[in-house]
Amino acid sequence: MNLENEKIANRGSRQRKLKDLRGDERSMEEKRGAGQVLFGGVPLRPGGVMAAAERVLSAARERRGGYVCTVNATMLTAAQRDKGLREALLGALFNTVDGLWVWRALAFCGHPGRLYCPGVELGEAVLARAADEAIPVGFYGGAPGVAVQAAEAMKEKYPDLIFSFLRHGFDPATPPSLFAAAPPILFVCLGSPRQEKEMRRLSRLLPGTVMLGLGGSLDVYAQRVRRAPKALRRAGLEGLFRCFSEPRRFLRLHPFAFLRLVLHEKAACRTGQEEGSGRPTSRIGRRRERRFGRQNG
């Protein structure tokens, strides 16, 4: 009986904390003019973790389906040359800003004061809410055994979690059991750009499932990979920390390509918009519009 009372008390405390965080983020976003931003031809929705989690849970409750991409600097630069990745990002329910470098690039190009949303934290916020609302969740990705370990670790933290699908991501073909389970929320952790392209394909086959592309989050939940200390995360050095922890990540870094993209976006913003038309006046802006098409914010 005492154990049951303790569980109820812990759940109530967690719900109060989540409510406070949502209220804080909502007030901050209202002050800072939250909304969609087009950057490098990719629509981004800068916002906090709790606001993004609420949008995911809303889609899961209504079984609207779709997918969410967590966009970092590497993905933004890759989208400039990878048509499949670019189309996946354009087709998402929304794209969060995952990483301080993209957040700082937005501020540099005239969108200051926005919140950003680390994918690992977004995933855990969704899990906490899913546990409270008894919404089944699936994990798809990681090495063999990682999804199960991550589920066990999260189950210890949130005992009311329900897992309806657990599968590693080493099979080239999508497992048929995924279609049988069809969880309302599915974490797709196959690494970029594979996970974004896979989510775009699965969104047509699983119309009632909302998917989150969260890269290596399952390794973090399973405690196989350690996140950077908070001081490094605040300084925007988590990406470098992970590169030193996993040297193969250095091969995926394109810092000069990202810098060139940011400078192009800055030049396009500086020239302004044609009065009343909403079209960019710069050569860079017009060329980007022809390549990616116009996007409505």
Side-chain angles (χ1 to χ4, degrees):
M1 191 66 181
N2 290 335
L3 182 60
E4 186 66 26
N5 291 338
E6 185 178 345
K7 284 178 63 177
I8 293 172
N10 289 338
R11 186 186 306 166
S13 175
R14 188 164 67 242
Q15 288 175 341
R16 285 192 297 274
K17 288 179 181 178
L18 292 174
K19 186 177 180 180
D20 292 341
L21 283 170
R22 286 196 298 274
D24 292 343
E25 286 188 358
R26 191 176 299 114
S27 63
M28 290 176 72
E29 290 184 353
E30 286 172 357
K31 291 176 182 177
R32 296 172 179 183
Q36 190 162 274
V37 175
L38 196 65
F39 191 89
V42 175
L44 301 174
R45 186 175 289 276
V49 171
M50 300 313 302
E54 176 56 37
R55 285 193 285 270
V56 171
L57 266 292
S58 177
R61 291 187 207 105
E62 300 169 11
R63 298 307 299 259
R64 285 188 276 117
Y67 58 94
V68 176
C69 301
T70 53
V71 178
N72 57 24
T74 302
M75 287 173 61
L76 270 179
T77 53
Q80 308 305 306
R81 59 184 184 276
D82 187 331
K83 183 179 178 182
L85 174 59
R86 186 167 66 248
E87 289 177 346
L89 295 176
L90 291 173
L93 286 174
F94 62 93
N95 300 309
T96 67
V97 175
D98 177 17
L100 219 53
W101 288 113
V102 178
W103 179 69
R104 285 175 172 166
L106 288 172
F108 178 70
C109 293
H111 306 286
R114 304 301 186 97
L115 300 172
Y116 74 104
C117 180
V120 175
E121 296 173 17
L122 170 61
E124 186 158 353
V126 169
L127 290 174
R129 297 286 303 280
D132 290 337
E133 300 183 29
I135 298 176
V137 179
F139 283 171
Y140 176 33
V146 169
V148 174
Q149 288 182 12
E152 290 173 351
M154 291 294 101
K155 188 81 174 173
E156 285 185 17
K157 199 167 186 179
Y158 308 106
D160 295 329
L161 264 174
I162 302 169
F163 288 99
S164 60
F165 178 80
L166 298 171
R167 181 74 175 185
H168 63 79
F170 273 42
D171 290 337
T174 307
S177 55
L178 174 57
F179 304 107
I185 299 174
L186 178 66
F187 287 27
V188 182
C189 303
L190 304 173
S192 184
R194 181 188 169 195
Q195 68 189 14
E196 287 76 29
K197 296 176 181 179
E198 181 72 356
M199 288 191 299
R200 182 170 184 257
R201 186 181 72 84
L202 289 175
S203 64
R204 297 187 288 269
L205 303 174
L206 294 168
T209 297
V210 58
M211 293 168 279
L212 285 81
L214 296 178
S217 296
L218 295 187
D219 291 307
V220 176
Y221 299 152
Q223 298 179 357
R224 289 194 173 195
V225 172
R226 186 168 63 92
R227 287 193 74 188
K230 285 186 178 180
L232 292 180
R233 297 206 297 266
R234 290 195 188 105
L237 299 177
E238 184 170 14
L240 287 178
F241 177 86
R242 292 190 67 183
C243 285
F244 282 111
S245 303
E246 304 170 64
R248 62 181 181 177
R249 284 182 171 268
F250 275 116
L251 300 176
R252 300 178 59 193
L253 285 178
H254 298 282
F256 294 110
F258 181 64
L259 178 61
R260 185 166 61 248
L261 173 64
V262 172
L263 293 177
H264 279 197
E265 289 295 324
K266 180 67 173 178
C269 290
R270 188 176 294 158
T271 57
Q273 304 283 328
E274 289 180 357
E275 187 173 354
S277 70
R279 297 178 65 84
T281 59
S282 70
R283 177 177 58 84
I284 294 169
R286 289 194 298 270
R287 185 174 63 203
R288 191 174 301 285
E289 182 180 290
R290 287 195 299 271
R291 182 178 179 185
F292 295 108
R294 298 188 69 184
Q295 299 297 318
N296 296 323

